[in-house]
Amino acid sequence: MATKQRQQVRKGAHGGMQLVLTEDVQHLGKQGELVEVKPGYGRNYLLPNGLATVPTEHNLRLLERYKQRVVQAREAKIADLKVLAEQIARVTVQIEANANEEGHLYGSVGAPEVAKALKSKNLNVEPDMIRLEGPIREIARYAGKISVGYESDADVKGLVVRSTEKK
């Protein structure tokens, strides 16, 4: 009676499991790379969410064909992101906030408010893309960085002004 062999996941040089990424995973690798991760991370996060697959011979053959299409799509996406970065660098956003007579804000202005102001200018920017040195607490002109992805950054200029709305 023949027994069915269970397919084992390859072990890496450091004892972790080897997986092929099907999507870009931040701080781990790009799509199509063979990576070594701890077994729990692969089994409980990467594989169930479809971010990685087991590197079988069949998957590796499919991966080689797929890599060419991925490279072309990535280059097109990088070109689009560079255009977005140039558009962001040209724009100065104005953010209204409640402040006292000395110019101190009653609250603070952070990444969500900057992202909302950029979206009002038809620039698709999420709050987690924006890096500020800290929360903005005074009325002034500020600058920050936006990471649009693929090592592309854009400088954003913002002007925080006192709200004209009276209650």
Side-chain angles (χ1 to χ4, degrees):
M1 179 157 114
T3 59
K4 186 176 179 182
Q5 276 285 335
R6 198 174 77 159
Q7 188 172 0
Q8 296 285 325
V9 177
R10 292 188 200 170
K11 295 280 186 192
H14 301 290
M17 68 186 332
Q18 287 187 338
L19 296 173
V20 175
L21 295 178
T22 56
E23 299 288 330
D24 290 351
V25 179
Q26 192 172 14
H27 305 296
L28 184 59
K30 303 274 186 227
Q31 186 176 22
E33 288 183 2
L34 183 68
V35 295
E36 181 180 346
V37 295
K38 297 216 176 206
Y41 183 56
R43 202 173 41 244
N44 297 324
Y45 179 70
L46 295 176
L47 290 173
N49 291 327
L51 300 174
T53 184
V54 178
T56 61
E57 294 300 321
H58 176 70
N59 286 346
L60 291 175
R61 278 195 310 272
L62 289 176
L63 182 66
E64 291 304 319
R65 292 186 212 138
Y66 187 66
K67 272 186 182 181
Q68 293 149 353
R69 285 185 271 152
V70 168
V71 168
Q72 292 171 349
R74 183 176 288 143
E75 288 172 358
K77 189 172 184 178
I78 289 172
D80 291 343
L81 290 175
K82 286 186 180 181
V83 169
L84 176 65
E86 290 172 4
Q87 290 174 344
I88 291 170
R90 281 186 261 145
V91 171
T92 300
V93 294
Q94 183 170 332
I95 302 167
E96 289 189 2
N98 293 329
N100 62 13
E101 297 302 319
E102 290 88 40
H104 297 288
L105 300 182
Y106 289 123
S108 65
V109 174
E113 291 83 11
V114 176
K116 185 177 176 185
L118 285 168
K119 282 185 181 178
S120 70
K121 303 252 185 195
N122 293 327
L123 297 171
N124 191 17
V125 175
E126 298 298 323
D128 59 341
M129 298 166 74
I130 299 172
R131 292 187 307 256
L132 299 172
E133 280 104 33
I136 298 170
R137 298 185 187 272
E138 293 183 0
I139 292 178
R141 182 176 294 271
Y142 291 95
K145 290 237 183 246
I146 295 180
S147 174
V148 292
Y150 292 101
E151 291 89 33
S152 295
D153 288 341
D155 293 325
V156 63
K157 296 173 285 297
L159 180 63
V160 179
V161 296
R162 182 177 295 126
S163 178
T164 57
E165 182 179 304
K166 296 286 182 185
K167 293 186 178 180

